[in-house]
Amino acid sequence: MRVCPNWFDAFDLRGAAGSTGWAWSATTRAILTLCVALAAAPAVLHAQQKFPAKPIRIVASTTAGSQPDGLARFIAQKMSETWGVPVVVDNRPGGGGTLAASPVAKAAPDGHTLLYALPNFVISAAMQPSQPFDPIKDFATVAQIGVSTNILVATPTLGVKSVKEFVALAHAQPGKLILSTSAAGSASHLSGLKFNLTAGIKAVQVAYKGGPDSMLEVLGGRAHYHTGTLGVTLPFIKEGKLIALAVITPQRTPVLPDTPTLGETYAEFKRPETSHGLLVPAGTPRPLVNQIAKEVLRIVNLPEMKERMQTIGFGAAPAGPDEYHTILRGQHEAMAKLVRDAGLRAK
């Protein structure tokens, strides 16, 4: 017995009572609907099974050998092992992340080109009103990976041991303390700026080329406090050359379990300002997005990946496409507000 009749057999030539021409019977319509679905199913299944059909490229706005680059390459390695195709990391630092995001926004929405979004993805959108892409409309969120652990440290010469003591000292000496951070527009710079604004601190803020340079200013006694990454400051904290006042993350870090979060003092810091995640061009079919997200979340939850992140003071915060979309929109709005409040705009 044939399930799907020939096309000519599917027509009811009798016509409706009192009418002329061809008419469709209810049974015929139901059969045709089923036949169309059955005919389309193999093509849809083939399209889904075909991914990935070629090497996958993860574009990252960071230099080779950096901590984010190491995480991106680990993810790429595990993806390659699962899918059996090369997965390469394409490093394109510079331009506040624009050099990396632009080619991804213009890439084919087929799941084979991804953006490893760093904090500069959100920061640049707030600092630079005109970009060659729309950070919301031109990308689809795949998965959040985690949060860099930034930290607020001070020189031991100040004699303070907590955020409360430091803020009291800063209020007693308005304009006297010097904050050193990474370059203007960096996560370090904006974290320090937000801390000063939230705590009502009037201080001299000096931005340097990078985190190590700005930290050395505190170690050398030329600055009094610093906001930077935990991975860079940790050795000096353990040696007592820097005082860890607070980590700028939602939860305390296992690396320094006795150091409070800045959110424990100021509610404005309870949510991460920025995070790391993966994006694809807008228009990428949702089944592909879900497939990639499932693999990324699997990798993030691997014991080896967790150990890697903890070693560099990176907090795992896995989130799927919808949750990451909500998180990223919130980060864009919060960062835009901070930049407006501070009167910052890229020249």
Side-chain angles (χ1 to χ4, degrees), residues 42-54 56 83 85 110 112 288 291:
V44 173
L45 181 60
H46 176 71
Q48 290 179 347
Q49 290 177 338
K50 194 175 181 181
F51 178 83
K54 59 183 180 181
I56 294 173
W83 290 332
V85 299
D110 58 8
H112 292 88
L288 290 183
Q291 182 178 345

Side-chain angles (χ1 to χ4, degrees), residues 210-297:
D213 295 330
S214 58
M215 181 191 63
L216 288 174
E217 294 300 302
V218 181
L219 291 172
R222 294 177 293 275
H224 301 98
Y225 63 118
H226 165 70
T227 49
T229 59
L230 178 59
V232 175
T233 59
L234 186 59
F236 302 98
I237 292 172
K238 291 184 175 181
E239 293 174 7
K241 295 179 180 179
L242 292 174
I243 302 299
L245 298 178
V247 290
I248 311 175
T249 50
Q251 293 86 30
R252 295 192 182 196
T253 173
V255 179
L256 294 173
D258 296 327
T259 302
T261 68
L262 200 50
E264 292 176 38
T265 304
Y266 298 105
E268 291 85 347
F269 287 92
K270 286 187 176 180
R271 292 183 178 181
E273 300 165 304
T274 56
S275 60
H276 295 223
L278 287 173
L279 309 174
V280 289
T284 302
R286 184 57 187 254
L288 290 183
V289 172
N290 290 341
Q291 182 178 345
I292 299 169
K294 182 179 179 181
E295 174 65 6
V296 174
L297 296 177

